[in-house]
Amino acid sequence: MADTNPFPGENNTGHFWDDNLRELKNPPPRWWMIAFWLSLAWWVLYGLLYPMWPTPPWKLDETDQEFTQGMLDWSSIKEFERGMAQVEEVRAEYDQRIAAMSAEEILDDPGLLQYTLASSKVLFGDYCAACHGSGGQGNPGYPVLADNDWLYGGTLSKIIETITGGRKGNMIAHEKILSEQEVDTLANFVVNLSKGQPGSEEAWALFRGKGCTGCHGAEATGVIATLPNGSIVTVGAANLTDTLWRFRPGGYESAKHTILYGVNQTGVEQTRNAVMPAFGGAGSAEGRLDAEQIKKLAVYVHELGGGQ
């Protein structure tokens, strides 16, 4: 600070640094002051129109609102509810049509099909993606829905049946039934079939002799019988002749593990777990789906790429 003002007549405070740096007392521009007071007035007005001001503790009512509601009675929740009401109004027409149609009829209506797929994406994300992946690609330990390999059938009726009632695989543990050599033979047999190889006569004889055909079918395709209308009869056993593996990573060790410890076997510590909860009807999973939602999901899963 200088003892004398080196800039006489200038409107400064008398504080100087480095000889010529000083603090002036000029007022802000008039436009700036006008904008400042207008912004302050707007802040007060906003607080009167919208929720903002804290409510004194002694004035809290039974709703426990800790702020004023505002003269416009606006809130983000009410805005959300109004938006949802508008969405539901638009959806109502399509949902009424879906309720009156079968899943097969929805597939034949291009416009309604597009709406069904769009509206079912959220359902799939909420109820299915955690296990089957956001695109149906299947998370580790869960089936892929985007291919054409189906344990219980990929028709719309079968998909609806699966979503509604759930599925629980069952394969007995053979650890105490088969010898080590028999387990080795069958595990190699499964690997060879997955590679497109026919399998040895010895392996086929063991496969049939131990009753594996009862679930996996006479041709190891997972199909027990084919009905005259083309529908297949299956108990959910895997097709052993393709390159897909129900339990990853697949291969000899994976096949051996499944043969030894089975699937969903009580009291078998290393058994495979393969349970899908029911999403419809009595005793279904929490947050179960209604018939229309299940129908929509069935169409969505069917159209992921592998529906039959």
Side-chain angles (χ1 to χ4, degrees), residues 118-136:
S119 61
S120 300
K121 190 172 183 179
V122 174
L123 283 174
F124 188 86
D126 288 344
Y127 294 95
C128 312
C131 297
H132 297 288
S134 59

Side-chain angles (χ1 to χ4, degrees), residues 170-202:
N170 181 51
M171 175 176 171
I172 63 172
H174 293 80
E175 183 181 17
K176 298 179 181 179
I177 300 175
L178 301 177
S179 66
E180 184 176 343
Q181 179 59 46
E182 289 173 329
V183 171
D184 178 74
T185 299
L186 286 175
N188 279 303
F189 171 70
V190 172
V191 172
N192 290 335
L193 288 181
S194 71
K195 294 179 179 179
Q197 301 174 9
S200 66
E201 288 295 331
E202 176 191 3

Side-chain angles (χ1 to χ4, degrees), residues 97-118:
R97 292 174 59 192
I98 288 175
M101 298 171 69
S102 67
E104 289 78 8
E105 289 173 330
I106 293 173
L107 283 182
D108 293 333
D109 187 322
L112 193 58
L113 174 60
Q114 290 304 311
Y115 167 79
T116 302
L117 296 178

Side-chain angles (χ1 to χ4, degrees), residues 4 14 30-31 59 68 72-73 102 105 111 123 127 146 152 161 168 176 179 183 193 200 212 225 240 246 262 271:
T4 59
R30 183 177 296 276
W31 68 264
K59 289 189 177 182
T68 57
L72 297 180
D73 196 30
S102 67
E105 289 173 330
L123 283 174
Y127 294 95
Y152 297 92
E161 180 183 301
K168 184 175 182 179
K176 298 179 181 179
S179 66
V183 171
L193 288 181
S200 66
C212 303
L240 304 179
R246 171 63 183 85
T271 191

Side-chain angles (χ1 to χ4, degrees), residues 22 24 60 70 80 86 112 125 132 140 147 158 167 172 183 204 211 215 232-233 272 293 299:
R22 65 269 192 198
L24 303 179
L60 290 177
F80 167 77
Q86 293 173 352
L112 193 58
H132 297 288
D147 58 23
K158 280 294 182 181
R167 297 293 186 184
I172 63 172
V183 171
W204 274 109
C215 295
I232 61 172
V233 177
R272 303 284 198 186
Q293 289 174 317
V299 172

